Amino acid sequence: MTFFESITTVFRKYADFTGVASRPEYWWFALFSFITTSIAASLDPSASSEMGNYGFSVGLSSAWSLALLVPQLAVAVRRLRDTGRHWTNLFWILVPIAGVIVLIVFLTQPSIHQQPTTPPQPTATP
């Protein structure tokens, strides 16, 4: 799966928490999320310290991160299912430092749901 295919697939399955997601699908979308959120943060005028705005502000990066929240959760749930784990393993993220490491290890595991390389042959019926 290529970079653009994974982005298209994740946005097509925007709130689909069923099924599985391959490693490339998850990690290409994670890279896309990181890059676009970083760009949005650098372009965000409300994040400028020169303006003296240290309170809560809904800027470009906040809005973009919020828009990506549901697809990120959906692809993470599908990826965990692909590794044979339950969606509740996402709660590891709440454990400081070690939880992030555990979740990264889970998300990098190989798939247990292998896609067949050849379609099944129909059986001849008498």
Side-chain angles (χ1 to χ4, degrees):
M1 178 171 281
T2 66
F3 181 73
F4 294 108
E5 286 174 346
S6 69
I7 295 167
T8 305
T9 302
V10 171
F11 280 123
R12 196 173 338 114
K13 297 179 178 181
Y14 186 84
D16 184 11
F17 290 85
T18 61
V20 295
S22 65
R23 270 195 285 192
E25 179 181 345
Y26 178 81
W27 289 108
W28 280 127
F29 188 73
L31 179 65
F32 167 77
S33 298
F34 175 76
I35 290 171
T36 56
T37 303
S38 298
I39 291 170
S42 68
L43 298 175
D44 193 358
S46 66
S48 173
S49 63
E50 297 150 0
M51 296 178 75
N53 187 2
Y54 296 107
F56 178 77
S57 67
V58 179
L60 183 62
S61 61
S62 299
W64 181 247
S65 296
L66 193 58
L68 287 180
L69 181 64
V70 173
Q72 285 174 339
L73 287 174
V75 74
V77 167
R78 292 194 312 266
R79 178 70 201 129
L80 284 171
R81 187 172 296 116
D82 191 42
T83 63
R85 291 178 175 79
H86 197 262
W87 68 269
T88 54
N89 281 296
L90 278 178
F91 290 117
W92 279 104
I93 199 77
L94 300 175
V95 179
I97 302 169
V100 174
I101 294 169
V102 167
L103 194 56
I104 288 172
V105 168
F106 285 171
L107 293 170
T108 57
Q109 296 295 312
S111 300
I112 62 166
H113 300 284
Q114 297 296 328
Q115 296 176 353
T117 55
T118 59
Q121 300 297 323
T123 57
T125 57

